[in-house]
Amino acid sequence: MLAEIFSIAFQFADVFAFLILAAAGLAIIFGMMGIINMAHGEFITCGIYVTVICVQHGVPLPLAQAIGALSAGLVGIVLERTIIRHLYHRPLDSILATWGISLMVTQGMLIVLGSSWQGIGTPLGSFAVGGYTFSTYRLVLFGAAVGVLVGLYLIYMRTNYGVMARATMQNADMARALGVRTQRMYAISFGLGAALAGLCGALYAPTMTLIPTMGITFIIESFVTVVVGGANVLLGTAPAGILLGVVRTILNAWYGQIAGQIGLLITVIIVIRMLPEGVSGWLSRRGG
């Protein structure tokens, strides 16, 4: 019985980690900045490829993952300065622009790197509970997801940057009048969102088969989690991850992976219908 309970808890932790890590960067770029970033999967792919290439050249895995996240963040800042900065308050244009970036990056990687790339294998081995065997690295991913949530809370609620960033997202004109360099806040925030996407890719790099189109694996869960969470990413992302994690864990266990994905889509339809402002809007009203 204990082994069965642990197995269910482990599956939930695995799904929760995937949802949170995949959605964290998008929660900032889409949830806070209003940019519908269709290239989110490509930032994740950037983190994956940079991590794998670094490891294959002898860089220790944790350092390679940090480099992967940083590389995606730097790419994000460059894109924000050159393209995205012209698209604030233009959501439809942001869809087209970032979708175009996504297509160009994917096709460019297919041409330059080929259709597949040698992976690096999952580290840390496995452990057994009862008759079940579990990957130790999956627990590391769960710990990383919790760490990302705590880190985002501390950054946006306990630092001067967080105060200025939230002020910029809520009312850029007023923030600018008070001396905040709003353009810098936008660039840093977009870069942070891209870096978190790259971190997701870097963390999952040892677990994946490398192909240039792998970003699509993450993007559906990312948008679903952010939409269910609502505009307040600090308040809504974790509850959304828990809700969707429970739904997907149950459906995966009973009916398989396809049913789990369908369940996520049905859940987001129901939440949008009942809670148009997402989980965070509902929590804000109850708290108010």
Side-chain angles (χ1 to χ4, degrees), residues 53 81 91 124 270:
I53 291 171
R81 291 288 79 191
L124 302 180
I270 294 172

Side-chain angles (χ1 to χ4, degrees), residues 73-207:
L74 292 175
V75 171
I77 291 175
V78 171
L79 285 177
E80 197 280 337
R81 291 288 79 191
T82 55
I83 299 174
I84 304 300
R85 65 180 301 183
H86 306 290
L87 302 175
Y88 294 117
H89 311 298
R90 296 165 58 187
L92 295 180
D93 293 340
S94 72
I95 294 175
L96 292 174
T98 55
W99 184 44
I101 292 170
S102 171
L103 294 176
M104 288 188 291
V105 170
T106 300
Q107 296 305 311
M109 292 180 67
L110 281 169
I111 294 171
V112 175
L113 300 177
S115 59
S116 63
W117 193 276
Q118 182 180 358
I120 56 178
T122 305
L124 302 180
S126 60
F127 64 96
V129 177
Y132 299 95
T133 302
F134 304 96
S135 169
T136 305
Y137 188 69
R138 296 288 177 174
L139 294 180
V140 174
L141 294 176
F142 176 72
V146 175
V148 165
L149 289 174
V150 173
L152 286 177
Y153 176 81
L154 294 176
I155 288 172
Y156 280 99
M157 301 301 292
R158 302 295 184 184
T159 67
N160 289 333
Y161 158 74
V163 173
M164 291 187 291
R166 286 186 289 119
T168 300
M169 304 313 168
Q170 292 173 9
N171 192 325
D173 292 334
M174 182 62 71
R176 191 179 300 112
L178 294 173
V180 177
R181 301 180 65 175
T182 55
Q183 293 299 323
R184 175 179 292 182
M185 289 298 104
Y186 280 127
I188 294 174
S189 297
F190 195 91
L192 177 60
L196 287 171
L199 176 63
C200 172
L203 290 170
Y204 277 95
T207 71

